[in-house]
Amino acid sequence: MRFALDDEQREFGRTLGRMLGASDTPAAVRAWARGDHGPGLALWERLARAGVFGLAVPEAFGGAGPLPVEATVAFTELGRHAVPGPVVETAAVSVLLARLAEAGRPVLAEAWLPRVCDGGARVTAALPGAPGGSPYALDADVCDGVFVAPGGPDDLFLATGHGPVQPSLDPARRLALPRCGAEPVAAGRAVREAARLAADWAAFAAAAQVLGVGLALLERTVGYVRQRKQFGVPVGAFQAVKHRLADVRVGLEFAGPLVHGAAVALAAGTPGAGAEVAAAKAAASDAAYAAARAALQLHGAIGYTAEYDLSLWLGKARALRSAWGTPAACRARTLDLFSL
């Protein structure tokens, strides 16, 4: 399959990149990790105005989607700039509620999705019963709606609160166990099917995001080894350094087409879309993790310091590697689904 972005999609990515590059996202990430959400929420509003949160929402509910290919472009840029907040989970909730609406239950979609699109409502999800899902919800403390599908009984709950915020590999990823009310807001087989599709979208968006994280780590490391000198020459001139970075580039270049392929499969609604998504998530996570290890080594001791901005991407690469499916779990799921 040959795949290439068109001019409009590439310009969308460039526009997002310019906007985020001018937004001092490292400062927003550090503030978010401290529990100061102000700068991050200002960034959230700009992303809403750019149409990012409408990419997974059908036009009937105020969105422009579902547009998985454009979502790939957007989430890669969000990863490249280390944007904090439940951006992946927002896409998952959008797909969850839209699929319930398709199944004849539009009430939740009508109540939430228009506000999600314009940034008026922040949402997150915990889908422990779905593939790659977890009982923890990301950034529940800053969201207006926390949707929980525990699995087992096909029930969907809207959390009434949450437990203490737990530490994460990425300090800007604030996890908590949601507390559910006694009555579900939706029930039945449609919930299970919608939760499964939402988890696929979450894994797909996380794959694009972690791919962007890997690209940022590579770009920063290449820039660093061009400047730092040893024995009178830039350290990037040494063959060992060149080969290490070339391996990282190859890994990211191989993962990119898998992420775009997953987007095309989701857009077409093909039966093998789940396997395509799982393969993309495994490849992108491994490639970004390799980029993180190379970046840490080639930056030397400075790479270990939390004060250096590189640490923001290092933490995100590790956390996103396991979010919505570890590489091992994704490979196993790919094998199972392709074997059917």
Side-chain angles (χ1 to χ4, degrees):
M1 177 178 65
R2 182 179 183 279
F3 176 84
L5 298 175
D6 62 28
D7 290 342
E8 189 174 352
Q9 291 163 338
R10 285 193 291 271
E11 181 55 29
F12 177 52
R14 286 192 290 267
T15 301
L16 269 182
R18 287 193 294 269
M19 184 194 78
L20 293 171
S23 298
D24 193 10
T25 52
V29 175
R30 293 185 187 283
W32 196 278
R34 295 193 303 268
D36 173 9
H37 297 116
L41 294 183
L43 186 59
W44 193 273
E45 291 178 6
R46 288 195 285 275
L47 291 173
R49 287 196 296 271
V52 170
F53 302 127
L55 296 175
V57 177
E59 292 182 11
F61 302 108
L67 296 173
V69 175
E70 284 74 7
T72 303
V73 175
F75 279 94
T76 301
E77 288 301 321
L78 298 184
R80 194 191 290 268
H81 293 274
V83 169
V87 289
V88 165
E89 290 69 21
T90 296
V93 171
S94 298
V95 170
L96 174 73
L97 301 188
R99 178 50 65 98
L100 286 176
E102 287 181 13
R105 305 175 189 188
V107 175
L108 290 171
E110 292 171 348
W112 285 93
L113 293 186
R115 293 191 291 144
V116 168
C117 290
D118 65 17
R122 294 178 296 277
V123 293
T124 189
L127 308 175
S134 159
Y136 289 92
L138 179 65
D139 295 316
D141 57 332
V142 75
C143 286
D144 304 287
V146 181
F147 290 86
V148 185
D154 297 329
D155 294 335
L156 178 67
F157 295 88
L158 194 54
T160 56
H162 61 82
V165 173
Q166 303 292 323
S168 166
L169 292 170
D170 174 4
R173 289 178 60 85
R174 299 164 55 81
L175 301 168
L177 284 171
R179 299 192 185 102
C180 298
E183 296 296 326
V185 292
R189 182 176 177 180
V191 169
R192 180 174 48 189
E193 294 174 350
R196 185 180 298 114
L197 182 61
D200 279 347
W201 260 80
F204 153 69
Q209 190 180 20
V210 79
L211 179 65
V213 169
L215 291 170
L217 286 165
L218 177 61
E219 291 163 4
R220 284 175 170 268
T221 306
V222 169
Y224 182 77
V225 299
R226 281 175 172 166
Q227 293 180 359
R228 184 186 171 194
K229 292 186 176 180
Q230 195 166 35
F231 309 119
V233 297
V235 296
F238 297 112
Q239 284 286 61
V241 173
K242 289 181 179 178
H243 288 173
R244 187 76 191 271
L245 291 174
D247 287 343
V248 171
R249 167 58 73 185
V250 168
L252 293 169
E253 289 288 342
F254 278 15
L258 291 177
V259 176
H260 286 289
V264 172
L266 284 174
T270 58
E276 302 262 8
V277 168
K281 177 64 169 57
S285 297
D286 281 345
Y289 191 61
R293 290 171 62 89
L296 188 59
Q297 180 188 28
L298 296 179
H299 275 79
I302 193 173
Y304 286 95
T305 58
E307 291 77 9
Y308 194 54
D309 281 350
L310 184 76
S311 66
L312 306 180
W313 282 268
L314 291 175
K316 202 165 287 295
R318 292 181 66 192
L320 285 172
R321 188 170 188 247
S322 56
W324 297 103
T326 64
C330 287
R331 281 191 284 272
R333 185 163 186 248
T334 302
L335 183 61
D336 288 344
L337 292 175
F338 276 138
S339 300
L340 292 177

